[in-house]
Amino acid sequence: MAKDPQTPLDDELARQEQEGEPEQAVDAAEAVEGELEDIVDKAEDEAQAEAVEGGDNPEAEVLAARVEELEQSVTEAKDQALRAAAEAQNVRRRAEAEAEKARKFALEKFIKDLLPVVDSLEKALEAMGEDASEVHREGVSMTLKMQLDVLAKFGVEIVEPQGEPFDPQYHEAMAMVPNPEVDPNTVIDVMQKGYVLNGRLVRPAMVVVSQAAG
């Protein structure tokens, strides 16, 4: 089967696509489209002039056929230009989305490594007995607060679901204990806090969940 003849626009778009330049392909399509429209207008004028001067004229029929052919080429050129523009827009949007995603979650690994430090400070504060000095207690408390403030600055939120319904997307059940005082599947104890970075779970909260008695 013979290959369809290539239009000037087809050749130009093929070259631009090989070079990976969709926006330049669109510009080329628009330029070729303008040239084709000029040819169509000129051919129509010549066809009308021939028809007025000579009535039925084989050359006029040839020009009319040529006009129809060029009009079809213009239609195809417009369609290809629209497709190229749409593809360029899609590529731009995907690149912007990937850049935004990378920006939001670039610190995820660093935050995961920092969370054990926060856990240790919290446990140290809880473990301090009556014999601990007020200065020592205040120093650990201030250090912990500074750590949490820095995490919050970069979009980290704490997941501490005490008394909330169990959510498997953000909570990890470590045990289930019968408790008639609360509804089943309620978090009755938080063994370790969870953390979320810009809406993405970094670490689930480790919890104890109630279950129906009996």
Side-chain angles (χ1 to χ4, degrees):
M1 181 175 178
K3 186 176 179 181
D4 294 337
Q6 296 288 317
T7 66
L9 176 62
D10 292 330
D11 295 337
E12 183 63 17
L13 284 176
R15 185 185 70 80
Q16 296 290 352
E17 289 174 356
Q18 290 176 355
E19 295 177 359
E21 302 176 353
E23 293 184 358
Q24 294 185 11
V26 174
D27 295 339
E30 292 176 351
V32 175
E33 178 184 341
E35 295 179 5
L36 289 174
E37 289 178 345
D38 291 341
I39 295 173
V40 169
D41 293 340
K42 181 178 179 180
E44 287 178 341
D45 293 341
E46 292 178 358
Q48 290 176 359
E50 290 289 342
V52 170
E53 292 177 1
D56 295 335
N57 192 321
E59 293 184 3
E61 294 178 0
V62 171
L63 286 175
R66 181 57 178 162
V67 166
E68 183 177 354
E69 179 184 346
L70 291 175
E71 287 178 342
Q72 180 65 27
S73 297
V74 169
T75 301
E76 293 175 357
K78 289 180 178 179
D79 182 63
Q80 292 182 7
L82 289 174
R83 289 200 302 269
E87 178 61 24
Q89 183 67 14
N90 290 336
V91 170
R92 185 182 300 109
R93 287 176 178 172
R94 286 195 296 269
E96 291 174 352
E98 289 297 326
E100 179 65 14
K101 182 178 178 181
R103 184 190 68 79
K104 281 186 175 181
F105 304 113
L107 295 176
E108 184 173 2
K109 185 178 184 304
F110 172 74
I111 289 170
K112 284 183 178 180
D113 293 338
L114 187 62
L115 292 182
V117 179
V118 176
D119 295 337
S120 297
L121 289 171
E122 289 178 339
K123 290 177 181 178
L125 194 59
E126 293 173 359
M128 285 183 180
E130 295 295 333
D131 56 340
S133 67
E134 187 63 27
V135 174
H136 189 191
R137 189 185 304 275
E138 184 178 352
V140 175
S141 179
M142 289 182 62
T143 303
L144 175 61
K145 183 179 182 302
M146 290 173 62
Q147 292 276 13
L148 295 176
D149 288 344
V150 170
L151 291 176
K153 179 180 178 181
F154 288 96
V156 178
E157 299 177 9
I158 301 174
V159 179
E160 191 174 10
Q162 182 75 33
E164 298 178 2
F166 176 74
D167 185 348
Q169 291 186 340
Y170 296 97
H171 312 152
E172 182 178 351
M174 306 305 294
M176 297 191 71
V177 178
N179 190 329
E181 297 180 0
V182 297
D183 294 333
N185 294 322
T186 299
V187 176
I188 58 177
D189 188 25
V190 179
M191 301 175 64
Q192 187 181 70
K193 297 176 183 178
Y195 291 88
V196 174
L197 171 63
N198 292 318
R200 176 189 288 181
L201 184 67
V202 175
R203 189 182 75 183
M206 296 181 181
V207 300
V208 177
V209 184
S210 65
Q211 64 179 8

